[in-house]
Amino acid sequence: MTATLTQSPEQEHQPVTRGRRVPVTRACRFEFVKLVSQWRIRLLVLACWIVPALFVAGVSRQSTLPSDTLFGRWMHATGWAGPLVVLGFAGTWALPLLTSVVAGDVFASEDRLGTWRHLFVAVRSPRRIFAAKALASLTVILVLVAGLACSSAIGGLLTVGNHPLVGVDGHLLTPEDAAVKVLLAWVCVLAPTLALAGIGLLGSVMLGRSPMGLLLPALVAIIMQVTQILPLPVAVRLALPGYAFISWNGLFTSPTQLAPLLIAVAVSLAWAVLATVLAYVLFQRRDFTNLAYDGSGRRALTVGLLPLVGLPALSVAAVAVSTSSMGSGIEQGKVQRSVATAFAHLYRMQTDQLHRPAVAEAQLRTTATCAKSAGKGAQEGAGNNWRCVVSWHLPGVAVTGTAIYQIDITSDGRFVADGDGPKEVNGYFLMRTSTGDAPNPLWQFDGNVELLDTSSKG
Amino acid sequence: MEQLLAIRARGVTKSFGDVVALDGIDLDVTQGQIHGLVGPNGAGKTTLLGLLLGLAVADSGRLEVLGTPVGRALDSPDGVAGFVDGPALYPSLTPRQNLAALAALRGHEARTAGIDDVLAEVGLTGVADDRARGFSLGMRQRLGLAAALLTKPRLLVLDEPSNGLDPAGKKHVHGVLNRLAADGTAVVLSSHNMDDLEALCSEVTIVATGRVVFSGPLSKLAADNRELDYRLLTSDPQAARRMAGDTPGVRVVDDAGVRQADAKLLVVRAMVPALEDLVVRLVEEGVALRELTPVVSPLEAAFLALTEQQEAGR
């Protein structure tokens, strides 16, 4: 029944072509323009590039430092502590919220504005629209993360200076090493950030204009954080994408605690890929001509959420099989090694600051004897009831030095050692140096128990 | 002489689950024609417009747009533009930025894409750099039209383009559409506003429950139609009433509900030939005819009659 159209000379000069699909680069630029035109995105960009610098500069000038935050106690000592303090905060709050606002809204905003048909007529390819939206939101997230990292580093370096950084196990990193590791740490948290961004895309596609889509990354991040606080087996802890927000501190030990970090990054990337693929599948299946579609159908929930629920189970099994780590990972031997290592590094630093004869960590032959709950019960697991007696030997001195520490270990392996005497070693917050009073590095220090048994012992 | 077809639809059907939106639609729209699409809510107009824009694909039947068969979603040829369910724009951008972003999407430089020209064409030059967030519905309609014009369309598909427009804006938009049609662009517009359709369209298609109940020139619709109510204002209402009662095929309607308080006004129901007889008799008797207008437009009357028939036959 197809009629042949009569072609006029004018029409012959204007050949009708099949609708050309818009290249992804152009569609991505279009999405980027739309994102950047939103005041909240501009505000976030501005805040991420300015606020961390002001925060680090402000805190570094205060007499009281945020010593409960990793590297917080070293903010007076080096400008490289600032970006790590901000990183710790960002992993907990800022990055989940940023991904919520950007990725969690990138599809939903079209539902809200009623612009889907306009977009489809213009771009003509759901696949390219999805790719453009994902890439544009990823670009904005990268700009925000880069802002947090650069701004905090600049703030720290301008306020405090480019000085050596004390690592998590007390060893000293040169400013160059510190710069590289700070950069690496920020790069590593991109993996869980991408996982949250993928979840944001999924929520945005799945739930449409519902605010739950916007909140999904933040909600998942909170669940991950709460889970990390619980006394779970190591395999479960590592199999959750949020662990990469914690495990970057393994970069600041010697040797580097690489295995947990790599596992966490791999798990995070798996979440990012799966969530993005699920979002893509749902997006492709959506009927944009059906006005009754609200995105929250049973199929959307089944296709979107069930595989994500299944991924942790798979990850736990894989990590458990590959690492054989089903306990808490915090064992007496590991605690003793970690405390002794950190003490030795910091003792050497204290010796330098007090201009005593130089001594190397190996010469000290430091050991720690630790017990939990005064030796009652299982000698493993997190808690603030660990107590360690640290012993060391000074070259040419017959008497063995000892110091006592109360150790508070959290379930992610991080600990704070609080000096409990003798007062000459770790009893006072301040120590008298030739240039005046200075914080005593042995009075209270941070450390990290590697939860996996895979790295060589330092 | 054969006319160039911008749209040719034969037996097009489309269902959403159990709901049949289009049920064997036939439609011809020639180049340079402004074609009205009218029907009650849920008749399938938006679905049909969506098919023309390539937003969906028909379940069966044959659809050709600008001479190209459309067989897949988002497969409509270049040269088709428009909007359904209202114009879409990004409120955080200005009209100029909205259009520049669209032009960039198509690979055109903002400077050379003719943005200023289309903004002037739809009368938005004065607000070209204001954020679209605060725009009225009428301004958004104009911006939607500008976005469509930016592509230099050969088929323009518009869903209720006069919504929210003030009389001056409506006149402006009508002028734009007429100029486009004069240049050879086919315009398909759906509207519930009969005055708009009558002012703009040379042909209309009436759709009810997914089926075409009429498609053709407006004049044919009026001729095909049965009796209409007309308002008569004369110099001698009593004589006019008497002559109307005496004229075969003409009935005086006393319960028409139109300006009943006006004693000089008479409402009669007649087909066009009988009405013409009455007019001749009035003139012969020396009664001055001051006003003769249909109470409802022929299109509206036809629309109501045809759609009611269709509903009754379901």
Side-chain angles (χ1 to χ4, degrees):
Chain A
M1 277 183 73
T2 305
T4 305
L5 294 183
T6 309
Q7 295 285 317
S8 71
E10 294 79 16
Q11 200 170 21
E12 283 170 5
H13 287 126
Q14 290 182 319
V16 174
T17 54
R18 284 264 171 220
R20 280 165 293 200
R21 279 152 173 75
V22 171
V24 173
T25 46
R26 272 193 230 149
C28 186
R29 189 175 148 200
F30 182 64
E31 293 299 330
F32 192 70
V33 166
K34 286 191 298 186
L35 273 174
V36 173
S37 72
Q38 294 173 24
W39 65 266
R40 62 172 182 272
I41 300 292
R42 291 183 189 185
L43 197 67
L44 280 181
V45 172
L46 204 66
C48 287
W49 281 87
I50 292 176
V51 173
L54 297 177
F55 168 78
V56 171
V59 172
S60 299
R61 286 173 190 274
Q62 287 181 346
S63 57
T64 307
L65 294 173
S67 55
D68 54 338
T69 307
L70 199 57
F71 294 102
R73 66 181 77 248
W74 301 111
M75 285 183 79
H76 278 157
T78 174
W80 295 113
L84 295 174
V85 170
V86 171
L87 178 57
F89 173 78
T92 311
W93 297 107
L95 294 177
L97 290 175
L98 294 180
T99 52
S100 285
V101 172
V102 181
D105 197 43
V106 70
F107 289 91
S109 62
E110 306 285 352
D111 280 307
R112 245 188 350 265
L113 297 172
T115 41
W116 275 124
R117 293 169 179 192
H118 169 71
L119 196 58
F120 272 95
V121 169
V123 179
R124 296 167 181 268
S125 164
R127 188 183 306 164
R128 289 173 195 214
I129 289 174
F130 185 89
K133 283 189 172 293
L135 286 173
S137 52
L138 174 66
T139 307
V140 172
I141 287 170
L142 289 180
V143 168
L144 297 176
V145 175
L148 290 171
C150 294
S151 174
S152 55
I154 290 167
L157 292 174
L158 289 180
T159 312
V160 186
N162 184 22
H163 304 302
L165 173 73
V166 177
V168 178
D169 62 352
H171 84 287
L172 213 55
L173 288 97
T174 64
E176 294 75 26
D177 281 348
V180 170
K181 295 208 167 178
V182 166
L183 178 65
L184 271 177
W186 276 95
V187 169
C188 287
V189 298
L190 281 179
T193 307
L194 289 181
L196 291 178
I199 291 165
L201 293 179
L202 179 62
S204 190
V205 170
M206 196 170 66
L207 299 169
R209 58 175 73 90
S210 160
M212 273 312 292
L214 190 70
L215 292 176
L216 198 59
L219 190 67
V220 171
I222 289 171
I223 292 170
M224 298 294 172
Q225 283 171 29
V226 170
T227 310
Q228 291 296 344
I229 295 169
L230 300 174
L232 295 171
V234 186
V236 177
R237 200 175 292 285
L238 264 66
L240 298 174
Y243 192 68
F245 281 132
I246 301 166
S247 57
W248 56 266
N249 58 27
L251 289 169
F252 294 88
T253 59
S254 180
T256 310
Q257 294 175 3
L258 213 50
L261 179 60
L262 290 179
I263 291 171
V265 167
V267 167
S268 293
L269 291 178
W271 272 71
V273 170
L274 181 66
T276 308
V277 167
L278 292 174
Y280 175 72
V281 169
L282 281 178
F283 186 71
Q284 284 282 54
R285 289 184 180 186
R286 181 169 167 178
D287 180 3
F288 287 92
T289 59
N290 186 356
L291 287 176
Y293 184 90
D294 66 353
S296 56
R298 186 183 298 169
R299 188 180 66 179
L301 292 171
T302 310
V303 174
L305 285 186
L306 281 185
L308 268 190
V309 174
L311 183 60
L314 195 68
S315 307
V316 169
V319 174
V321 169
S322 60
T323 63
S324 310
S325 302
M326 283 309 291
S328 71
I330 301 168
E331 294 145 17
Q332 188 178 37
K334 288 192 206 174
V335 175
Q336 290 177 165
R337 275 195 298 276
S338 298
V339 170
T341 303
F343 181 90
H345 287 309
L346 293 169
Y347 188 92
R348 182 182 170 181
M349 178 191 281
Q350 187 194 53
T351 301
D352 288 343
Q353 287 174 326
L354 294 173
H355 300 292
R356 289 178 183 156
V359 61
E361 286 89 339
Q363 291 174 302
L364 291 171
R365 288 179 282 135
T366 310
T367 56
T369 305
C370 301
K372 190 181 185 201
S373 305
K376 295 171 190 160
Q379 296 301 295
E380 63 101 27
N384 61 359
N385 49 356
W386 285 88
R387 188 170 186 271
C388 295
V389 178
V390 181
S391 307
W392 72 97
H393 301 271
L394 282 174
V397 177
V399 182
T400 300
T402 58
I404 299 167
Y405 282 94
Q406 299 295 333
I407 313 287
D408 182 2
I409 309 178
T410 53
S411 49
D412 59 7
R414 190 195 155 196
F415 68 80
V416 177
D418 202 355
D420 209 10
K423 61 183 180 182
E424 297 80 13
V425 180
N426 65 4
Y428 286 120
F429 165 60
L430 291 175
M431 60 184 187
R432 186 154 295 170
T433 69
S434 57
T435 54
D437 285 349
N440 180 358
L442 290 175
W443 175 69
Q444 197 180 60
F445 60 86
D446 296 311
N448 194 35
V449 177
E450 184 177 5
L451 300 183
L452 286 183
D453 298 321
T454 51
S455 75
S456 59
K457 310 298 183 284
Chain B
M1 180 182 156
E2 271 188 279
Q3 288 184 300
L4 301 171
L5 287 179
I7 298 168
R8 188 173 191 280
R10 290 292 178 272
V12 169
T13 64
K14 178 73 182 172
S15 300
F16 297 102
D18 297 335
V19 179
V20 179
L22 298 177
D23 188 7
I25 292 281
D26 293 342
L27 178 67
D28 287 339
V29 178
T30 57
Q31 293 279 17
Q33 182 187 88
I34 303 182
H35 193 104
L37 199 57
V38 60
N41 293 330
K45 302 185 298 292
T46 302
T47 304
L48 182 55
L49 296 183
L51 292 184
L52 298 177
L53 285 169
L55 288 167
V57 63
D59 297 334
S60 65
R62 172 114 183 151
L63 177 64
E64 289 176 15
V65 175
L66 297 174
T68 307
V70 178
R72 289 182 300 153
L74 303 173
D75 198 29
S76 57
D78 281 344
V80 181
F83 54 79
V84 286
D85 287 327
L89 53 96
Y90 296 97
S92 54
L93 300 174
T94 66
R96 195 186 300 283
Q97 289 169 335
N98 264 292
L99 298 180
L102 272 178
L105 203 55
R106 298 190 176 95
H108 300 304
E109 286 281 327
R111 282 178 289 113
T112 57
I115 290 169
D116 287 337
D117 294 341
V118 294
L119 283 172
E121 178 120 31
V122 300
L124 286 181
T125 305
V127 292
D129 295 311
D130 296 350
R131 297 245 173 258
R133 190 181 309 284
F135 276 18
S136 65
L137 176 59
M139 289 161 90
R140 294 204 302 269
Q141 293 279 15
R142 290 180 188 219
L143 184 52
L145 182 57
L149 295 181
L150 200 62
T151 63
K152 297 179 176 56
R154 293 169 63 188
L155 171 61
L156 186 59
V157 179
L158 301 173
D159 193 8
E160 300 282 358
S162 299
N163 263 6
L165 287 172
D166 58 28
K170 205 176 280 189
K171 189 178 170 190
H172 192 109
V173 168
H174 286 191
V176 173
L177 298 181
N178 279 322
R179 273 197 299 281
L180 280 171
D183 291 342
T185 299
V187 180
V188 176
L189 59 93
S190 88
S191 179
H192 287 119
N193 189 326
M194 304 300 164
D195 292 340
D196 277 348
L197 293 169
E198 283 186 294
L200 277 169
C201 301
S202 50
E203 292 198 8
V204 293
T205 294
I206 300 178
V207 185
T209 60
R211 293 180 188 156
V212 173
V213 293
F214 173 84
S215 190
L218 273 170
S219 54
K220 184 169 179 281
L221 185 64
D224 280 355
N225 196 19
R226 61 287 310 144
E227 292 175 323
L228 281 185
D229 288 356
Y230 295 92
R231 268 199 302 260
L232 271 170
L233 189 63
T234 61
S235 57
D236 187 346
Q238 287 183 343
R241 174 178 287 269
R242 180 172 40 79
M243 280 186 272
D246 293 344
T247 306
V250 177
R251 279 186 299 139
V252 175
V253 181
D254 287 321
D255 59 347
V258 182
R259 291 166 64 184
Q260 288 294 320
D262 192 342
K264 291 180 182 174
L265 191 72
L266 183 67
V267 177
V268 296
R269 183 168 296 158
M271 291 181 74
V272 172
L275 186 70
E276 286 171 354
D277 287 346
L278 175 60
V279 171
V280 169
R281 292 181 69 176
L282 285 169
V283 173
E284 284 173 353
E285 294 290 328
V287 177
L289 188 61
R290 292 176 178 158
E291 183 184 320
L292 174 59
T293 51
V295 173
V296 294
S297 70
L299 177 59
E300 188 170 347
F303 167 74
L304 291 172
L306 290 170
T307 51
E308 279 165 10
Q309 276 174 15
Q310 184 76 9
E311 290 292 332
R314 289 178 74 183

